[in-house]
Amino acid sequence: MAGLLGMPRERIPIAVAMVVALAATLFWLQRRFDQSDVRKGIAIALEYRPRGGQSIFDALVALGRGDPRCDGKVVSTLLGDVEVRCSVAAAPDTEYEFRVLLDRKRPPRPANVAARQLVDGMGSAGKPSR
């Protein structure tokens, strides 16, 4: 007795269970890859040194408002594009956003006004503007 797609009816629940298990496994794996990409994007953004000066991490610490806290999200898995958002403890409402390509072919770029001001204020020996 043929059921769905020429498959015997008694095997349909097993096939459905296997498809659900496969989908759950793929979803779990994708989340793991995304988490790894976000961690890598944060590291790339914080270690970036515009004009060979201090790093973004050092510039955020030099603001004197506490250590930076960063998170991110994958914008494009295909391109390896990650959006990184950092803030400091004393000013949690001010976010410094950067767009990072994981292939490192281009440097991280500031994606909002606060991040642009931070990077523009960073000289090779100077402190960021407040």
Side-chain angles (χ1 to χ4, degrees):
M1 215 187 303
L4 183 67
L5 299 173
M7 186 182 316
R9 286 182 182 236
E10 56 275 357
R11 291 193 182 180
I12 291 176
I14 294 170
V16 169
M18 289 176 68
V19 168
V20 168
L22 177 63
T25 301
L26 289 174
F27 179 75
W28 176 78
L29 275 173
Q30 187 61 50
R31 288 197 56 206
R32 295 278 303 216
F33 284 125
D34 287 350
Q35 289 171 352
S36 175
D37 286 350
V38 166
R39 283 193 300 270
K40 186 176 178 184
I42 291 170
I44 291 170
L46 290 179
E47 69 187 22
Y48 173 57
R49 297 175 181 273
R51 297 179 291 280
Q54 63 185 359
S55 68
I56 297 292
F57 177 80
D58 293 336
L60 288 170
V61 169
L63 293 173
R65 299 180 188 156
D67 290 336
R69 298 182 62 87
C70 300
D71 67 346
K73 74 174 185 177
V74 175
V75 177
S76 172
T77 304
L78 181 64
L79 297 175
D81 187 5
V82 178
E83 180 181 77
V84 175
R85 292 175 306 280
C86 296
S87 62
V88 289
D93 293 337
T94 302
E95 286 191 337
Y96 302 90
E97 296 179 15
F98 298 91
R99 292 294 291 269
V100 179
L101 293 177
L102 299 178
D103 63 4
R104 295 182 186 243
K105 289 183 180 177
R106 293 186 206 147
R109 89 179 154 78
N112 69 351
V113 174
R116 170 58 49 207
Q117 289 173 344
L118 180 76
V119 170
D120 288 345
M122 296 171 63
S124 54
K127 290 186 176 181
S129 61
R130 292 186 185 208

